Amino acid sequence: MNQIEGKAWSGRPHPENEPTPAYHAELAPLVDAHIHLDSYDETRQHEILSGLQNANVEGLIAVSMHLDSSRNNLRLAREYPQLVHPAFGFHPEQAIPSGGEIEELFAWMKRHTGEMIAVGEVGLPYYTRTEAERTGRSFDSLPYEELLERFIAFAREEDKPIVLHAVYEDADTACRLLAKYNVRRAHFHWFKGSPETVRYMAKQGYFISFTPDIVYEEEIRELARRYPPDLVMSETDGPWPFEGPFAGQTTHPRMTADVAAAWGMIRGLSLPEARRQLLGNAKRFYGI
């Protein structure tokens, strides 16, 4: 059993319905820097939001899948203005919408720029593309690259951070487009990539975030060892489910506590230090 700042942590996450330990008041709260809040059913949304204080979570960056998703996240942000910080965009792991739908999304985002924390989630369809290639189907990535470029240009124009779904070789394309528009406030969520790309991203000051799989996934743990500690955040990507010790649990922002504990141990930080760092990073990046 590991000892962190005098408190025992077994390396196992808290059970789904177990409250955060009583000593959490001594610890900084956390931010779930990437969650699909609107993808939970309405009852679970309100359960999550009403329980954030007990879970010692200060707020959520609620990313969007498409226009309807953006509208739903805006509604939740208006209902819970201190907790929900909405990002608007189009998730790339789905079919490209029609030209009219794209224009409607950008026009809507323009009208609600003052209420959005960031552009996101946007990026490139790595998993859709590689699955098509694996099964011998053709796949045209160009429309996705063109749409991503528009989102990056929008983020530049509106001076907003951008939340990216861009892993492995797709990250190189995203980096090229970010450089083209001189966009520095970029958050690559749940990132995986080559050592060369990791070094480039760190040099540019791009942020990444870790999900609960940092507890059990060696690829992610190795990335945590290498990426600058002032450029990382905690996230859940909920409701995406996790494996290992989280198997069978509904993904909840409270799991950021397990992210912080695992990341702190990897970096040789006490639990209070790790949480303060992750909280400060998220607040600095998103301006909250």
Side-chain angles (χ1 to χ4, degrees), residues 64 66-67 70-71 74 86-90 101-116 118-122 147 150-155 158 160-162:
S64 301
H66 40 61
L67 178 55
S70 299
R71 287 171 171 149
L74 178 57
F88 306 141
F90 181 84
E101 291 172 313
I102 291 173
E103 296 308 320
E104 184 180 8
L105 172 60
F106 276 98
W108 186 90
M109 289 171 59
K110 184 74 172 179
R111 290 196 301 274
H112 296 284
T113 299
E115 295 179 275
M116 65 190 294
V119 174
E121 174 178 5
V122 300
L147 182 56
R150 283 196 64 178
F151 281 121
I152 290 174
F154 183 94
E158 302 299 331
K160 296 290 182 181
I162 189 163

Side-chain angles (χ1 to χ4, degrees), residues 6-265:
K7 304 298 181 180
W9 187 71
S10 65
R12 298 187 299 273
H14 305 305
E16 182 173 0
N17 297 315
E18 181 180 306
T20 304
Y23 61 81
H24 75 74
E26 303 170 11
L27 302 174
L30 292 168
V31 170
D32 188 339
H34 190 100
I35 184 171
H36 294 270
L37 182 62
D38 70 301
S39 293
Y40 292 87
D41 65 52
E42 188 170 345
T43 298
R44 184 55 66 103
Q45 290 171 8
H46 295 293
E47 286 176 353
I48 287 171
L49 292 166
S50 63
L52 285 185
Q53 183 175 4
N54 186 56
N56 208 14
V57 174
E58 183 174 294
L60 313 173
I61 306 301
V63 296
S64 301
M65 296 287 293
H66 40 61
L67 178 55
D68 284 345
S69 175
S70 299
R71 287 171 171 149
N72 287 334
N73 280 322
L74 178 57
R75 173 182 54 80
L76 287 164
R78 287 172 172 173
E79 189 171 351
Y80 296 91
Q82 303 305 312
L83 299 178
V84 179
H85 308 283
F88 306 141
F90 181 84
H91 195 292
E93 300 286 354
Q94 55 187 324
I96 288 284
S98 69
E101 291 172 313
I102 291 173
E103 296 308 320
E104 184 180 8
L105 172 60
F106 276 98
W108 186 90
M109 289 171 59
K110 184 74 172 179
R111 290 196 301 274
H112 296 284
T113 299
E115 295 179 275
M116 65 190 294
I117 196 76
V119 174
E121 174 178 5
V122 300
L124 297 168
Y126 176 83
Y127 299 104
T128 302
R129 175 176 58 79
T130 54
E131 175 61 18
E133 292 170 351
R134 187 186 66 82
T135 56
R137 292 177 286 121
S138 62
F139 188 87
D140 185 5
S141 296
L142 184 58
Y144 291 91
E145 292 182 21
E146 292 174 342
L147 182 56
L148 174 58
E149 183 167 359
R150 283 196 64 178
F151 281 121
I152 290 174
F154 183 94
R156 172 67 178 179
E157 178 183 345
E158 302 299 331
D159 192 25
K160 296 290 182 181
I162 189 163
V163 187
L164 293 157
H165 171 99
V167 298
Y168 300 116
E169 60 266 26
D170 284 353
D172 299 321
T173 302
C175 287
R176 174 176 54 80
L177 292 172
L178 290 169
K180 178 178 178 179
Y181 290 88
N182 196 28
V183 170
R184 292 298 187 97
R185 288 196 293 166
H187 170 195
F188 287 73
H189 100 98
W190 207 341
F191 175 73
K192 303 97 173 169
S194 70
E196 295 76 18
T197 302
V198 168
R199 286 192 292 269
Y200 174 83
M201 287 171 49
K203 184 177 180 180
Q204 296 304 310
Y206 300 153
F207 279 64
I208 65 172
S209 51
F210 297 112
T211 71
D213 72 352
I214 192 175
V215 171
Y216 60 87
E217 187 67 54
E218 184 53 34
E219 179 184 15
I220 303 303
R221 293 173 65 82
E222 178 58 28
L223 178 61
R225 293 182 188 103
R226 291 185 286 128
Y227 214 78
D230 60 333
L231 298 177
V232 302
M233 297 180 279
S234 54
E235 66 154 300
T236 64
D237 201 27
W240 184 269
F242 291 92
E243 301 173 0
F246 305 98
Q249 295 189 34
T250 299
T251 299
H252 188 285
R254 72 166 67 88
M255 293 177 180
T256 55
D258 299 293
V259 175
W263 179 74
M265 291 175 67

